[in-house]
């Protein structure tokens, strides 16, 4: 397991060794989600038609571009990209199982 530093905060995203080498070619930043009360690792890129957009690290690792497909964390740590998995139940199942921090 390796740590990938984000550029804008002092946060660190955890990634598997086999993912680290190709992830380090991009500039990652931490994005705080106030609704979820947690940080996510993201990067900016341009689409084929020249539009600016961003991509979450967990989606990059799993190669999931469709925003309707939900990606979840086994340990609910959004910066631990070693514990991500595809959640076929989608957003409704996710909302039933999520743990909110109050």
């Amino acid at each position: 397991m390796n740590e990938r530093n984000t550029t804008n905060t002092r946060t660190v995203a955890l990634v598997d060794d086999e993912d680290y080498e190709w992830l380090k070619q991009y500039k990652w930043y931490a994005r705080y989600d106030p609704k979820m009360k947690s940080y996510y690792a993201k990067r900016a890129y341009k689409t084929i038609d020249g539009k600016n957009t961003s991509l979450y690290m967990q989606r990059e690792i799993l190669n999931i571009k469709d925003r309707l497909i939900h990606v979840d964390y086994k340990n609910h740590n959004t910066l631990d990209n070693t514990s991500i998995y595809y959640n076929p139940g989608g957003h409704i199942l996710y909302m039933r199982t999520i743990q909110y921090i109050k």
Side-chain angles (χ1 to χ4, degrees):
M1 178 174 25
N2 277 302
E3 295 179 349
R4 181 72 185 118
N5 292 326
T6 58
T7 58
N8 63 331
T9 63
R10 293 184 179 172
T11 57
V12 174
L14 301 175
V15 296
D16 288 323
D17 293 335
E18 60 267 14
D19 297 326
Y20 179 76
E21 286 303 316
W22 63 270
L23 286 173
K24 72 178 185 178
Q25 69 181 310
Y26 303 112
K27 193 173 192 177
W28 296 96
Y29 64 95
R31 169 78 167 95
Y32 184 73
D33 183 346
K35 182 178 176 185
M36 300 304 294
K37 298 180 182 172
S38 58
Y39 284 92
Y40 291 86
K42 292 180 83 173
R43 72 175 178 89
Y45 74 99
K46 286 192 184 277
T47 60
I48 295 171
D49 57 355
K51 293 181 181 177
N52 291 324
T53 188
S54 61
L55 183 67
Y56 289 100
M57 185 182 285
Q58 71 268 24
R59 292 183 172 278
E60 179 80 35
I61 292 170
L62 295 176
N63 196 25
I64 296 175
K65 305 290 191 252
D66 186 353
R67 293 179 186 246
L68 297 177
I69 297 175
H70 189 75
V71 178
D72 204 356
Y73 296 85
K74 292 177 186 172
N75 62 4
H76 301 283
N77 178 355
T78 56
L79 288 174
D80 183 357
N81 289 293
T82 62
S83 69
I84 55 176
Y85 66 97
Y86 162 66
N87 182 354
H91 188 68
I92 294 171
L93 180 61
Y94 170 71
M95 293 309 289
R96 285 189 206 153
T97 60
I98 192 167
Q99 295 178 352
Y100 285 100
I101 303 169
K102 297 198 180 205

